[in-house]
Amino acid sequence: MSESSDETKRQTILVVDDEAEVRALVREVLELHGYAVIDTGDPMDARRIAESQPVHLLLTDVVMPMMSGLELAKRVEASSPTTKVLLMSGYETAAVKGSGRVLISKPFKARDLVNTVRQLLDSKSAFRRPGPPPAPKRGFGPLAVTLGALLLLAGPAAAAPAAPAFTVTLLDGSGHFDSRAHLGKHVLVVRFQASWCKVCNEEAATFERVYKKYRASGVELVSVQVQDTEADARHFLEANKVSYPAGLDPRLKVANRFGFRGTPYTVVINKRGEMVARMHGRTDEARLARILDPLVKRGPGPKAPAPKAPARAK
């Protein structure tokens, strides 16, 4: 059920994200609540749209190719001072904090998105941060519930959401790591880390031990080096004698799809492709063992065939 009003129907929201799936789901949520929505994955295209027609709210991802969401916001505000800005990202940088703009962190609930948009549009200043979202209203339809359970995750209470598929180019030059090749075969540990992260350096030896200990039991571990240069990432891997596969994600395109909250960030995916654990911050070996051990325990082996009855003498 839509909760639109006459005022809402006159308001246009421009959604900018280089992930087509994100744009489609956000658009459905906002249109369900009566907003006119324009979406694009190209920041330059978004700038042209904002200059050519009235846009009440720019809802933009922060990390995008060609132009960041912050730079896009500055350019749109310069040409259209009345347009309000809402940033969305899985990682709040110092630049985002210092900008004074409102940020909604990925992953977010459909309800929280709608409440934040409504409060920002109702506020007198584009830089006013909304207060706590109001208590949920009745009437959110099945679509909002579905979105809350899928890409816009419903939070800690959600049970084992499906992990997004991803591919990274391996830093050792051996090709690509495609998570889909491991589905149904391996338990997958995805470690989001960086060369400049102190905790990542401190825990590098732990993850190397975990990799060597569990690999024979059907566990694969891959490192995704976030916001790193290739040279710095290679130095980190060499200095810490890392032997597990590692790829580069300088713009957080992979990390944000997993609800990245800052380094280090560790995700455990079972053989069915479900994220059974997402850990932000320090992750010791004992904690990993408590998660991995039940996932690699083998069930009872196949029953031995019943012995054949002796042949009857003729």
Side-chain angles (χ1 to χ4, degrees), residues 14 44-55 75-76 78-80:
L14 175 57
M44 298 303 293
D45 185 40
R47 184 184 175 188
R48 288 190 292 269
I49 292 170
E51 290 174 348
S52 65
Q53 65 184 85
V55 171
R75 298 191 184 191
V76 168
S79 61
S80 178

Side-chain angles (χ1 to χ4, degrees), residues 96-263:
V96 170
K97 289 181 180 178
S99 73
R101 294 180 178 86
V102 179
L103 171 75
I104 184 167
S105 297
K106 294 179 178 178
F108 43 77
K109 299 177 187 178
R111 179 181 66 246
D112 289 343
L113 172 64
V114 172
N115 288 338
T116 303
V117 165
R118 185 67 266 152
Q119 289 180 65
L120 186 56
L121 286 170
D122 288 344
S123 67
K124 295 180 180 180
S125 169
F127 295 95
R128 175 186 168 190
R129 291 184 176 273
K137 298 178 180 179
R138 295 182 180 179
F140 276 81
L143 176 60
V145 174
T146 301
L147 290 170
L150 295 176
L151 183 66
L152 310 180
L153 301 178
F166 69 96
T167 302
V168 291
T169 302
L170 295 174
L171 285 161
D172 63 4
S174 62
H176 294 81
F177 183 96
D178 188 338
S179 66
R180 291 169 293 188
H182 299 272
L183 186 61
K185 301 176 183 177
H186 301 121
V187 172
L188 185 58
V189 178
V190 187
R191 173 70 167 179
F192 295 97
Q193 57 189 13
S195 63
W196 42 265
C197 167
K198 181 179 179 181
V199 175
C200 301
N201 280 275
E202 292 173 353
E203 293 187 339
T206 294
F207 278 84
E208 181 63 20
R209 286 195 302 271
V210 168
Y211 176 62
K212 290 179 176 177
K213 177 181 177 181
Y214 285 93
R215 191 178 185 191
S217 301
V219 175
E220 184 61 87
L221 192 154
V222 61
S223 162
V224 180
Q225 300 292 130
V226 297
Q227 295 183 314
D228 252 339
T229 65
E230 185 173 342
D232 287 343
R234 286 182 185 276
H235 178 73
F236 170 89
L237 298 170
E238 292 170 4
N240 290 294
K241 299 179 181 179
V242 168
S243 63
Y244 48 79
L248 203 61
D249 186 23
R251 295 182 177 273
L252 301 175
K253 291 187 69 174
V254 175
N256 282 342
R257 298 182 68 193
F258 281 86
F260 181 68
R261 296 287 183 178
T263 54

Side-chain angles (χ1 to χ4, degrees), residues 163 188-192 258 265-269 275 277-279:
L188 185 58
V189 178
V190 187
R191 173 70 167 179
F192 295 97
F258 281 86
Y265 188 66
T266 308
V267 180
V268 179
I269 304 167
M275 293 187 286
R278 286 179 287 179
M279 296 164 280

Side-chain angles (χ1 to χ4, degrees), residues 7 28 57 77 96-97 109 131 199 274 284 289-290 298:
E7 181 182 3
E28 283 193 77
L57 176 69
E77 288 166 342
V96 170
K97 289 181 180 178
K109 299 177 187 178
V199 175
E274 300 165 336
D284 60 45
R290 288 194 296 271
R298 296 180 179 178

